[in-house]
């Protein structure tokens, strides 16, 4: 079994989901008392949020590159950035290490295409919805056409993530707001939904949505297990 390296803590609420999912999947697939080989470095999220807010993406890149190198030196065979937003820096982080970085965007796109979905509604932080890195990669590499909510809805999605979900707060009113936003996305032509922030699965689950829905956290973790056990096409260097 290969060792999975996690860059976590952004936020720890979703990183805990990664840890549980990785171990549950290994136990399911391998049986007995098997669990995943994991190395994890969990950051102080407040410092990362400050860099995001100020636009210091270069500073954030240096932080993640350093952690990725440390994980590699400690024996990790792959690296996961346990957040969608910081995949804005994924190529730069991959360039700092010699082991594969499993890119959450490519993994989600692979699953979307497998179901025939082509126009997903992307729900995520403001940075992921409004910066080009996520939608452009899905379009250029995978031929998909992601759409995002209108401005007011983007603000609501972002604010609920940071003020509630990252703090472990789950509110029924927020769940309903997300469902209303998804309904508007469907009316605008979305044929599927990407839960494109690793915390969103704490609030809504794919089975609660009347469109094909893809939980990026679970898909990312499952791809890491495939890599670690040597199964499936995901998790290789060409997915970075």
């Amino acid at each position: 079994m290969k060792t999975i390296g996690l860059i976590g803590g952004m936020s720890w609420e979703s990183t805990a989901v990664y840890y549980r999912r990785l171990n549950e999947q290994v136990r399911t697939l391998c049986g007995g008392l098997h669990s995943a080989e994991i190395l994890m470095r969990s950051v102080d999220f407040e410092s990362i949020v400050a860099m995001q807010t100020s636009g210091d993406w270069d500073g954030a890149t240096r932080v993640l590159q350093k952690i990725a190198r440390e994980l590699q030196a400690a024996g990790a065979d792959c690296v996961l950035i346990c957040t969608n937003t910081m995949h804005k820096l994924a190529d730069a982080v991959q360039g700092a290490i010699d082991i594969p970085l499993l890119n959450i965007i490519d993994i989600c796109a692979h699953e979307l295409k497998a179901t025939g979905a082509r126009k997903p509604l992307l729900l995520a932080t403001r940075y992921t919805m409004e910066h080009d890195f996520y939608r452009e990669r899905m379009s250029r590499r995978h031929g998909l056409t992601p759409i995002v909510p209108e401005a007011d809805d983007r603000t609501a999605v972002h604010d609920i993530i940071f003020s509630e979900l990252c703090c472990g707060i789950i509110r029924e009113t927020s769940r309903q707001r997300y469902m209303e936003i998804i309904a508007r996305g469907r009316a605008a032509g979305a044929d599927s939904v990407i839960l494109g922030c690793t915390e969103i699965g704490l609030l809504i689950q794919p089975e609660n949505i009347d469109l094909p829905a893809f939980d990026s956290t679970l898909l990312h973790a499952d791809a890491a297990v495939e890599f670690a056990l040597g199964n499936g096409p995901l998790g290789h260097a060409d997915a970075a």
Side-chain angles (χ1 to χ4, degrees):
M1 186 189 307
K2 296 185 178 73
T3 299
I4 300 166
L6 302 180
I7 305 177
M10 298 173 282
S11 68
W12 70 259
E13 295 281 351
S14 62
T15 303
V17 177
Y18 272 92
Y19 186 79
R20 175 176 290 277
R21 181 71 171 195
L22 290 168
N23 285 295
E24 286 177 341
Q25 290 295 91
V26 169
R27 182 174 60 190
T28 296
L29 293 170
C30 298
L33 296 177
H34 284 289
S35 55
E37 295 276 1
I38 298 171
L39 289 167
M40 181 169 64
R41 169 70 185 279
S42 188
V43 303
D44 176 6
F45 192 31
E46 184 70 26
S47 65
I48 300 296
V49 171
M51 292 179 189
Q52 293 174 344
T53 304
S54 67
D56 185 12
W57 297 103
D58 289 340
T61 298
R62 290 191 292 272
V63 170
L64 267 59
Q65 286 176 327
K66 180 175 182 292
I67 294 172
R69 287 192 293 264
E70 291 170 349
L71 288 170
Q72 177 177 309
D77 294 299
C78 69
V79 168
L80 279 68
I81 303 173
C82 299
T83 163
N84 283 268
T85 295
M86 299 307 279
H87 276 73
K88 179 180 175 70
L89 316 176
D91 288 344
V93 175
Q94 175 67 84
I97 54 178
D98 300 318
I99 57 177
L101 182 149
L102 310 192
N103 193 301
I104 200 169
I105 303 171
D106 296 329
I107 289 163
C108 288
H110 180 275
E111 295 299 321
L112 281 157
K113 291 193 293 184
T115 69
R118 288 294 181 269
K119 191 175 181 180
L121 175 69
L122 174 61
L123 301 179
T125 67
R126 184 189 311 281
Y127 312 110
T128 303
M129 291 187 289
E130 296 182 356
H131 294 192
D132 290 337
F133 71 96
Y134 202 107
R135 286 178 292 153
E136 191 275 337
R137 189 177 182 102
M138 281 207 153
S139 174
R140 173 175 53 83
R141 281 203 167 204
H142 303 287
L144 301 176
T145 309
I147 63 174
V148 297
E150 296 295 330
D152 287 349
D153 285 343
R154 292 198 302 272
T155 296
V157 170
H158 178 94
D159 289 349
I160 288 168
I161 290 168
F162 277 93
S163 65
E164 298 177 22
L165 303 182
C166 288
C167 300
I169 299 169
I170 308 298
R171 291 184 173 137
E172 181 60 30
T173 54
S174 296
R175 183 180 289 110
Q176 290 303 315
R177 182 68 191 275
Y178 267 55
M179 298 305 292
E180 292 165 3
I181 292 168
I182 290 169
R184 284 191 282 274
R186 182 173 187 170
D191 62 7
S192 52
V193 180
I194 300 173
L195 307 184
C197 173
T198 52
E199 283 80 22
I200 293 178
L202 301 171
L203 183 66
I204 53 175
Q205 286 74 50
E207 58 267 25
N208 302 138
I209 299 170
D210 60 359
L211 286 172
F214 301 85
D215 186 324
S216 60
T217 304
L218 302 185
L219 294 175
H220 203 197
D222 291 355
V225 171
E226 289 183 359
F227 176 87
L229 299 180
N231 303 322
L234 296 178
H236 299 287
D238 59 0

